[in-house]
Amino acid sequence: MVAFRGPKVWLWRWRRNPLKRRSDRLESWVVLAAWALTVCGGVIAGLLSAESVESGLARQRAEWRSTAALLTQDAPEPSATSGPGAEKVWAKVRWTAPDGSERQGQARVEPATLMGTQVTVWTDTEGRLVTKPAGESQAQLRAALVGGLAGVCVAAVPYVGGRLVRGRLERRRMDQWDEEWALIGPLWERKTW
């Protein structure tokens, strides 16, 4: 059997009621603050994180350059454990940095490429090897994922905090009710006739 609750009353937590306790009023403000911080904090954190990631990736696209490099050793054959989908292998390469100095490092190249073959590597403004920068659509996807994750994490803090405070208020209210019932309950058990 389900009890009929009647029509839904909007903003019932803030309506005047002579039976409303101070803890009820406090709980109503805790709920309001927790939801406001959850929604606003999550949205703001998500948007700021997404903007930061997207601008950082755009800066990488603008600053990082492809550079010609020479293999200084033969590239190894793909190993049997790497499977048929292994596309590239690590090999030593040499390139010229923007300041004119010779640099050496390891880059991913096609398997079985011979020493002296020219390959393309990506370098930053100081001539260090970097990965190929993310394209515009990849950057948008990464920014959306990071922004969403950051928004959810930030929103979880006030939500969980509000739930903990509400639980504590509920336990305190039940303890007070038990104390009051301990005083009033015995009076109801007496027979009046």
Side-chain angles (χ1 to χ4, degrees), residues 50-66:
E51 177 61 31
S52 174
V53 168
E54 198 161 2
S55 67
L57 293 174
R59 187 174 55 252
Q60 287 177 356
R61 278 194 308 277
E63 293 176 354
W64 293 0
R65 299 283 172 231
S66 61

Side-chain angles (χ1 to χ4, degrees), residues 69-148:
L70 293 175
L71 279 174
T72 59
Q73 70 178 28
D74 291 340
E77 294 284 337
S79 65
T81 59
S82 62
E87 298 174 5
K88 296 191 175 192
V89 294
W90 289 100
K92 289 185 180 180
V93 294
R94 181 180 65 234
W95 71 97
T96 304
D99 63 0
S101 65
E102 287 275 323
R103 303 274 177 101
Q104 288 189 1
Q106 288 201 349
R108 296 190 51 95
V109 298
E110 295 295 326
T113 306
L114 299 177
M115 181 172 72
T117 304
Q118 186 172 339
V119 295
T120 302
V121 295
W122 287 85
T123 59
D124 62 7
T125 55
E126 297 177 10
R128 295 180 298 224
L129 282 180
V130 293
T131 59
K132 183 178 178 181
E136 212 170 307
S137 61
Q138 288 177 329
Q140 289 174 350
L141 177 63
R142 287 182 190 176
L145 291 174
V146 169

Side-chain angles (χ1 to χ4, degrees), residues 29-46:
W29 287 108
V30 166
V31 168
L32 178 66
W35 276 108
L37 289 173
T38 297
V39 172
C40 294
V43 169
I44 290 170

Side-chain angles (χ1 to χ4, degrees), residues 113-187:
T113 306
L114 299 177
M115 181 172 72
T117 304
Q118 186 172 339
V119 295
T120 302
V121 295
W122 287 85
T123 59
D124 62 7
T125 55
E126 297 177 10
R128 295 180 298 224
L129 282 180
V130 293
T131 59
K132 183 178 178 181
E136 212 170 307
S137 61
Q138 288 177 329
Q140 289 174 350
L141 177 63
R142 287 182 190 176
L145 291 174
V146 169
L149 183 61
V152 168
C153 290
V154 168
V157 172
Y159 178 76
V160 169
R163 296 290 294 188
L164 291 173
V165 170
R166 284 186 66 199
R168 177 68 182 121
L169 288 172
E170 184 67 26
R171 280 192 303 277
R172 186 170 152 212
R173 210 173 8 245
M174 290 296 112
D175 290 344
Q176 288 174 345
W177 195 344
D178 286 342
E179 290 171 11
E180 291 171 6
W181 186 253
L183 295 174
I184 301 299
L187 297 176

